[in-house]
Amino acid sequence: METLPTTTVSFSKSERRGRSSKSQSTSKPSVIMAFFSCVAWLYVAGRLWQDSENRVILNNMLKKNYDQKPKVLTVDEKLMVLGCKDLERKIVETEMELTLAKSQGYLKSGSSSGKRLLAVIGVYTGFGSHLRRNTFRGSWMPQGDALKKLEERGVVIRFVIGRSPNRGDSLDRKIDEEDRAKKDFLILENHEEAQEELPKKVKFFFSAAVQNWDAEFYIKVDDNIDLDLEGLIGLLESRRGQDASYIGCMKSGEVVTEEGGQWYEPEWWKFGDGKSYFRHAAGSLIILSKNLAQYININSGSLKTYAFDDTSIGSWMIGVQATYIDDNRLCCSSIRQDKVCSVA
C-alpha cells in the first residue's frame, strides 16, 4: 500500500524573527492611534462639559436680567411699592382716633370747660365785606364780653375766611388786624379766598370747626343772612342728641346747563337725563350734626365738589346714613313769621 507523500514545512530562525518584528511594528501604530483617540474623546467631552457649564451660567444671567427688567406697573402696584396705601390707611385711622379723642375730651377743644358746646356757627365773609361784618356785629351777632357769655351758653360764632391768593399781602394783614381787635374770626389757613374756590370753602370750614370745637351741631351761614339767634338756639336745643342730622330748607330743582347762565353747573351731564338736582339743604343756612361734620373732616381730601357748596354737601350726604330734616323755619326767603333767618 502506497503512502501519501507528506510535506513538512519548516521555518528557519531568520524567517520566524522577521514575522515577529513585523507583528510588533503593526501593533505600535494601533496603540498610538488608540491613545490619540482617547485624548480626542477626553477633549471633546471636556468641551461639551465646558459648554454645558457656560449654558447654565448664561441661562442664570438671562433669568437674573429678566427678573431685574423694568415692568409696567399699575398705579395700585406703584402705590404698594411706595407704601402709600399703607400710609394712607394709617393717616385715616390716626385722624379718626384724634377726632374720637377730641370728642371724648382727651384733647383740647374750643370749650375751656370741656363740656360739649351746642353749636359752632360759621358766617361766611370776604375781604371786601368789612362794613357788612360791622352791621352784623351791631345787630344780631354779639361782640366783646357778650360774645364770651354766648360761648359760656355753648354757642360759638365766627366769621369764616380764607387767605389771599397773594399770601401775606395787605388783604391778609387787614383781616389779621381785625381779628386781633374783635377776636371773632375763623381763618382757614389752607383755603384760598377766591370766587372759583368758594365750593371748596365748606370742606375747610367744617373740618376746621370740628378740629377746634366739640359741639352738637356745626352751622354754615351765608354773609347776606340775618339770624334770629335765640330762635335758632331754641331749634337746636330741641334737636340735641339726634345723630346724623342734616337740617335745612330742603329743595331740589333744575340743573342749569347753559354756560353763562345764573347757577350754571359745568358738570350738568352727571345729573342724568332729567337734569334735576337731588334733594339738598339750601346754601343760605346748613346744619350738620357732629358725626356728619366729622365725616367731612376725615374724608375732605376725596370728597367731590360741584359748582355750588349746597349741592356739594347734598352729594356727600347721599352716600351716608344721614337723616334729612326739612325745617321751613330755615327757609330764609320765606314769609313765615317764625323763621329764624332772613335775607339781609
Side-chain angles (χ1 to χ4, degrees):
M1 183 175 183
E2 294 182 357
T3 59
L4 295 172
T6 61
T7 303
T8 302
V9 180
S10 62
F11 298 96
S12 64
K13 289 183 178 179
S14 60
E15 288 174 334
R16 285 197 298 271
R17 205 177 287 122
R19 279 180 172 273
S20 176
S21 62
K22 187 177 181 180
S23 175
Q24 289 176 4
S25 65
T26 57
S27 65
K28 284 181 180 179
S30 298
V31 172
I32 293 171
M33 289 297 294
F35 173 75
F36 281 114
S37 296
C38 183
V39 171
W41 184 86
L42 290 172
Y43 173 76
V44 172
R47 288 300 302 270
L48 290 173
W49 179 84
Q50 185 66 41
D51 290 345
S52 176
E53 285 292 303
N54 289 339
R55 281 196 299 272
V56 171
I57 293 172
L58 181 60
N59 183 59
N60 289 338
M61 290 177 65
L62 289 173
K63 187 175 183 301
K64 185 178 180 180
N65 288 337
Y66 178 79
D67 291 339
Q68 293 178 348
K69 184 178 70 174
K71 297 179 180 178
V72 179
L73 300 176
T74 65
V75 174
D76 284 343
E77 288 172 335
K78 290 177 181 177
L79 289 173
M80 288 292 277
V81 170
L82 296 173
C84 288
K85 278 204 166 184
D86 187 54
L87 180 61
E88 181 184 12
R89 178 181 58 79
K90 289 180 180 178
I91 290 173
V92 171
E93 289 176 353
T94 302
E95 287 177 339
M96 294 180 71
E97 289 172 0
L98 286 171
T99 302
L100 179 62
K102 183 176 287 186
S103 69
Q104 294 176 343
Y106 293 106
L107 296 179
K108 182 181 178 182
S109 67
S111 175
S112 58
S113 65
K115 181 181 177 182
R116 175 171 286 189
L117 299 167
L118 174 63
V120 175
I121 302 172
V123 181
Y124 273 25
T125 191
F127 292 116
S129 301
H130 177 73
L131 293 178
R132 181 168 290 179
R133 288 193 293 272
N134 282 340
T135 300
F136 287 166
R137 291 180 182 123
S139 57
W140 64 266
M141 182 175 174
Q143 54 181 318
D145 291 338
L147 188 64
K148 292 180 181 178
K149 288 182 180 179
L150 183 64
E151 292 179 9
E152 291 173 2
R153 290 178 58 191
V155 178
V156 171
I157 304 177
R158 294 290 186 272
F159 288 112
V160 182
I161 193 169
R163 285 299 187 183
S164 168
N166 301 312
R167 184 174 287 265
D169 64 5
S170 60
L171 296 176
D172 279 347
R173 290 195 297 271
K174 286 180 180 178
I175 292 297
D176 290 336
E177 290 172 4
E178 189 177 343
D179 186 36
R180 283 192 292 269
K182 301 295 185 179
K183 295 181 173 55
D184 57 3
F185 278 89
L186 173 59
I187 300 175
L188 307 176
E189 296 291 345
N190 296 320
H191 173 67
E192 182 178 299
E193 191 69 32
Q195 185 63 35
E196 62 272 15
E197 297 295 321
L198 191 59
K200 298 178 183 177
K201 185 174 181 176
V202 72
K203 290 199 295 185
F204 288 101
F205 161 62
F206 281 116
S207 294
V210 166
Q211 292 169 19
N212 283 280
W213 295 281
D214 175 27
E216 291 275 348
F217 300 102
Y218 299 85
I219 305 168
K220 175 257 176 178
V221 180
D222 275 347
D223 67 348
N224 63 338
I225 298 300
D226 282 329
L227 288 181
D228 173 3
L229 194 54
E230 291 302 322
L232 178 61
I233 291 173
L235 185 154
L236 297 174
E237 287 284 4
S238 68
R239 298 288 183 182
R240 269 190 185 272
Q242 296 183 2
D243 289 338
S245 294
Y246 173 36
I247 310 172
C249 177
M250 296 295 169
K251 65 173 187 175
S252 60
E254 182 182 356
V255 178
V256 178
T257 62
E258 294 182 10
E259 188 173 358
Q262 188 180 20
W263 313 120
Y264 169 63
E265 173 57 69
E267 298 187 72
W268 55 266
W269 57 273
K270 290 186 177 180
F271 294 89
D273 295 335
K275 306 298 184 301
S276 178
Y277 282 118
F278 36 75
R279 182 72 69 181
H280 61 278
S284 300
L285 197 158
I286 300 173
I287 304 173
L288 297 181
S289 61
K290 170 84 174 183
N291 56 344
L292 294 182
Q294 281 179 326
Y295 171 78
I296 294 174
N297 175 39
I298 293 170
N299 298 283
S300 60
S302 58
L303 290 176
K304 164 72 178 174
T305 55
Y306 291 97
F308 308 102
D309 56 5
D310 55 356
T311 52
S312 297
I313 295 174
S315 70
W316 306 335
M317 295 301 104
I318 288 176
V320 296
Q321 294 292 334
T323 301
Y324 285 58
I325 299 174
D326 183 14
D327 195 321
N328 291 332
R329 289 174 293 176
L330 300 175
C331 296
C332 303
S333 59
S334 73
I335 58 174
R336 286 185 55 140
Q337 296 299 316
D338 60 345
K339 64 182 181 180
V340 300
C341 60
S342 58
V343 178

